[in-house]
Amino acid sequence: MQHPVDHYVFVPRPYDGFTGQFIAGRWLAGTAGKTVIDRNPYDGSVLAEIAQASISDLDQAFDAAYRAQVEWAFTLPSERAALFFRAVAILDARKDEIIQWLIRESGSTRIKAGAELGAVRAGMLEAATMPAAAQGHIIPVDKPRKEARVYKKPVGVVGVISPWNFPLHLSNRSVAPALALGNAVVLKPSNDTPVTGGLLLAKIYEEAGLPAGVLNVVVGSSDVIGDAFSRHPVPRVLTFTGSTPVGRHIARVAAESSLLKRVGLELGGNAPLVVLDDADLEKAVGAALIGRFMHQGQICMSTNRIIVDASLYDRFVEAYTEAAKAVKFGDPNEPDTLVGPLCNDSQVRSVVRSIALARESGFRECLSGTIEGRIVPPHVFADVDNGSEFARNEIFGPVAPIIRAANEAEALAFANDTEFGLSSAVFTRDEARGLAFAQRIEAGMTHINDITIHDYPHVMFGGEKNSGLGRFNGKWIIEEFTTDHFISIQR
């Protein structure tokens, strides 16, 4: 018997037709009368011209999802699981094509693009386990011949608003579990990455055999469809990944909807990486380097502050600066480039302001370089005040602040002195000490002797304080994307 994915052994014809919307299984031109010019952030070349969605297009997408979800919810668990195995086979066959899209559209370096594709693949395999993992309960009731059952059901329609920094992964991180659990989805990607954040994913699931209307992708201006998306009465759950100010706005608008809905928010971060006095200096330097400069620092979990015990501080600054000098920056297509282009001109302006602020504050500039276009070379500032505006802001770029802490107690106080609480790390040779320190950090995630950037599809992901609401991945996302229905039986 021929395996259902055998025809993916050969390299398929590259996807094309990224010119509009994907609604109810059809590729349609948007009707807003405006066009997204999708450009390569490194060289400015035009990748696609996409007719933007209007409110009418948005309504059609949610209506299609609402209608398709009813039948999709009753699809057998094995059939839903098989969809993701087919999608994984497609990812494997189209690996080079997808990596090239990530490099060209999001400014991903080849290193980061490969890692992102791996995360999407792992997420699809994890999603394949979820149809059978959404289990209900039979609960004893203190009454003769009475039985209580709690059924686990899909919420219905999930609305997903995704960012530009890890566009394929951060879209699929919500899309795959939602589909696996019997929901339909309407996805709005960033206009900076409309293909890798949405339309490419639609092509993959369409090729894998997802029924029409179960996944819909709308590309449009936030000024036109943004609030309407959050306020729309169809989706029972909204997920958003992006900045804290935008997340707050989405939560406010969603609260105005005629239908009460859950809102999952994965927002900004200001991740501390703490180096205690007994840390392995070489390993701490390496982790802080990757944690800060991977994908140009444009990751919510990026190491945003490096807090070093005074006893190691001078040696760390010297070693870190030397290591940063060796970081290759420039063409993201080169295999050993770590720092490529920032995603857009707005990001460049923001990073330039952060550098200027550090200089105005008198912090020691250990490493700098000439900014050319959207390429910002690694910058390192030492003797940074943890209470300064420079340290308190999330720097979404390749700029590393290093902060001296007098001792462990001050290092912990510095780590927690932020409105954010997403990821964090601590370095020490004493595992018990590291665990005790980690448990006192006010964050959703803490890593001992490792980088701050981790996202495993079966392990909880989420933050505290102003870094968000809700949890992603594994059994946690199952709870987010399902609802419980209590049914009692009196015999």
Side-chain angles (χ1 to χ4, degrees):
M1 178 178 175
Q2 186 181 27
H3 192 278
V5 296
D6 281 350
H7 62 289
Y8 294 120
V9 171
F10 301 104
V11 177
R13 179 180 177 181
Y15 291 134
D16 57 14
F18 297 117
T19 58
Q21 318 296 313
F22 184 64
I23 299 174
R26 296 182 297 161
W27 294 89
L28 307 170
T31 61
K34 297 180 179 179
T35 302
V36 172
I37 307 298
D38 186 19
R39 295 183 182 275
N40 183 322
Y42 180 62
D43 62 17
S45 60
V46 176
L47 303 174
E49 297 184 16
I50 301 168
Q52 295 193 41
S54 65
I55 296 290
S56 175
D57 299 326
L58 181 68
D59 287 338
Q60 289 182 48
F62 276 120
D63 181 65
Y66 182 80
R67 294 175 183 275
Q69 189 272 331
V70 177
E71 184 175 350
W72 177 245
F74 286 99
T75 304
L76 293 176
S78 60
E79 293 177 14
R80 276 184 266 143
L83 169 81
F84 295 102
F85 292 127
R86 293 194 297 270
V88 166
I90 292 167
L91 286 182
D92 292 344
R94 296 183 178 275
K95 177 181 177 180
D96 293 340
E97 177 186 356
I98 294 168
I99 284 177
Q100 279 299 324
W101 265 111
L102 288 168
I103 292 170
R104 290 183 300 155
E105 187 181 51
S106 71
S108 298
T109 61
R110 184 165 288 276
I111 295 169
K112 179 264 184 183
E116 181 168 1
L117 180 61
V120 174
R121 190 181 192 278
M124 287 180 173
L125 289 175
E126 177 67 14
T129 71
M130 292 182 181
Q135 300 169 357
H137 302 276
I138 297 177
I139 304 170
V141 177
D142 196 22
K143 186 176 180 180
R145 305 184 67 196
K146 183 82 170 184
E147 182 177 289
R149 300 181 181 183
V150 177
Y151 288 83
K152 183 75 69 177
K153 296 182 176 181
V155 293
V157 176
V158 176
V160 179
I161 305 173
S162 64
W164 47 259
N165 58 336
F166 267 71
L168 191 65
H169 169 53
L170 293 179
S171 291
N172 192 64
R173 187 174 65 176
S174 289
V175 169
L179 298 179
L181 294 165
N183 301 288
V185 175
V186 177
L187 167 63
K188 180 188 178 302
S190 166
N191 275 9
D192 284 311
T193 51
V195 175
T196 52
L199 300 176
L200 182 60
L201 204 58
K203 290 278 189 182
I204 292 167
Y205 282 118
E206 180 186 38
E207 186 177 355
L210 184 68
V214 179
L215 172 63
N216 306 270
V217 179
V218 290
V219 178
S221 169
S222 294
D223 293 342
V224 176
I225 65 170
D227 285 359
F229 192 104
S230 302
R231 191 183 290 119
H232 205 282
V234 166
R236 294 297 309 276
V237 174
L238 289 178
T239 73
F240 167 76
T241 302
S243 72
T244 297
V246 175
R248 287 181 180 275
H249 177 79
I250 286 172
R252 283 194 297 268
V253 174
E256 299 170 357
S257 174
S258 60
L259 179 74
L260 288 173
K261 58 192 67 185
R262 304 178 202 165
V263 180
L265 303 173
E266 198 266 277
L267 307 178
N270 189 347
L273 184 147
V274 177
V275 183
L276 298 181
D277 58 9
D278 66 340
D280 182 314
L281 187 66
E282 183 179 355
K283 290 181 179 178
V285 167
L289 195 79
I290 297 298
R292 175 66 288 193
F293 297 123
M294 171 66 79
H295 195 41
Q296 301 74 265
Q298 298 174 127
I299 307 173
C300 56
M301 299 173 285
S302 289
T303 299
N304 205 64
R305 291 171 297 149
I306 305 167
I307 302 169
V308 185
D309 187 277
S311 63
L312 292 178
Y313 183 81
D314 291 336
R315 290 166 55 203
F316 182 94
V317 170
E318 181 180 1
Y320 188 83
T321 302
E322 287 303 308
K325 288 178 181 177
V327 168
K328 183 174 178 179
F329 57 91
D331 186 349
N333 205 36
E334 295 293 329
D336 55 347
T337 298
L338 184 62
V339 174
L342 296 181
C343 185
N344 54 49
D345 292 336
S346 176
Q347 283 302 118
V348 176
R349 290 191 293 269
S350 175
V351 173
V352 168
R353 285 195 297 269
S354 293
I355 294 170
L357 182 60
R359 289 169 176 166
E360 291 167 7
S361 301
F363 303 139
R364 178 158 51 109
E365 191 166 356
C366 302
L367 180 65
S368 63
T370 303
I371 298 172
E372 296 183 2
R374 292 178 177 171
I375 299 292
V376 179
H379 282 62
V380 178
F381 289 91
D383 307 339
V384 173
D385 180 355
N386 190 68
S388 66
E389 183 181 351
F390 176 61
R392 301 188 79 83
N393 291 340
E394 181 180 26
I395 307 169
F396 231 53
V399 181
I402 308 178
I403 300 162
R404 183 197 302 263
N407 49 42
E408 180 179 336
E410 186 170 64
L412 179 65
F414 283 171
N416 288 335
D417 186 18
T418 172
E419 66 174 299
F420 300 105
L422 188 58
S423 190
S424 54
V426 57
F427 275 76
T428 172
R429 296 177 190 270
D430 185 335
E431 182 179 321
R433 183 187 186 190
L435 183 58
F437 191 94
Q439 289 178 328
R440 290 177 288 166
I441 291 184
E442 298 166 355
M445 302 172 288
T446 303
H447 308 288
I448 301 171
N449 295 329
D450 207 348
I451 63 175
T452 56
I453 304 169
H454 287 289
D455 187 359
Y456 304 106
H458 63 295
V459 179
M460 183 221 87
F461 183 102
E464 298 293 335
K465 299 192 279 192
N466 284 341
S467 285
L469 297 170
R471 293 292 186 260
F472 290 85
N473 299 343
K475 65 181 182 181
W476 294 270
I477 201 67
I478 291 175
E479 293 302 314
E480 298 283 348
F481 287 164
T482 57
T483 189
D484 292 334
H485 187 177
F486 167 40
I487 298 177
S488 72
I489 302 172
Q490 179 64 63
R491 295 190 177 88

